[in-house]
Amino acid sequence: MPLLCVNVDHVATVRQARRTFEPDPLEAAHEAIAGGAHGITVHLREDRRHVQDADVLRLAEAFPGRLNFEMAATDEMVSMARRVRPAMAMLVPEGRHEVTTEGGLDVVRHRDRVREVIAALAAGGVRSSIFIDADPAQAEAALSCGASVCEVHTGPWAHAAHASGVASQPARRELDLVRAAGGRIRALGLQFNAGHGLSTANVGPIAALPGLAELHIGHSIVSRAVIVGMRAAVAEIRAAIDGAAASGSAVHSAR
Ligand code: PXP
């Protein structure tokens, strides 16, 4: 079964709406684990629009579970990662005007910088993952930069599944791209993770992909948590993942 890491950025978004002390991402992190998550993720953005430095420091100190640190490939974020030593640094591109991460990191284009950042993280004892589009050339570049994990961007799949239906041709085309990228990532000896735009409505076909190690999901879980609570929201998506992964592995072993 793929592991589930829950991104709690938008718990901090609600807090920052009033610049107050609640809701607390640390409390949400504990609830996510109680609901069946394997770890949690926070993205410290350059503009500090949701998660703050103090959140990262507090999570690193007080959260006993697995912490992933999503970050741009900047010196400032490398220093923070080396200070808090998360289980994994997740490299993403970052645009000041985007509402969320809009695409994978172009590792082919920024190969030298990415290699430098991964080496600096490794020297500080931090393992790196790179968020890439579903493109085998990006996976090959990630390997050449020293990454040990690639997270494939599932946003285009989520968008097509929402617009046209999970079984539609456009959605199937996007799913095939994620599957092919995952196959290449694994063939290169890297860990295959996936995330972005996933929800109980569309996670199934992704969760059933062969060799998928981890899913990284944030917005839909926090949205649902507003209605049913974090623990229940995580349990719901965990059940959707487990059901799909079980039927996916039955299909793979019958082949
Ligand atoms: N993976 C990466 C690399 C991301 O940037 C994000 C968004 O912060 C996610 C996963 C989670 O995406 P979503 O919030 O759409 O579930």
Side-chain angles (χ1 to χ4, degrees), residues 44-65:
L44 184 65
R45 282 183 165 269
E46 184 199 8
D47 63 10
R48 308 301 197 267
R49 67 176 72 159
H50 38 52
V51 169
Q52 307 295 303
D53 298 54
D55 292 320
V56 179
L57 297 173
R58 206 157 62 90
L59 282 162
E61 198 178 300
F63 178 61

Side-chain angles (χ1 to χ4, degrees), residues 199-239:
S199 66
T200 49
N202 64 25
V203 76
I206 298 289
L209 291 176
L212 179 71
E214 290 174 12
L215 285 160
H216 290 257
I217 307 178
H219 184 262
S220 73
I221 294 176
V222 176
S223 302
R224 183 74 182 137
V226 170
I227 310 298
V228 300
M230 177 61 83
R231 195 181 295 209
V234 173
E236 282 179 8
I237 202 154
R238 187 65 258 179

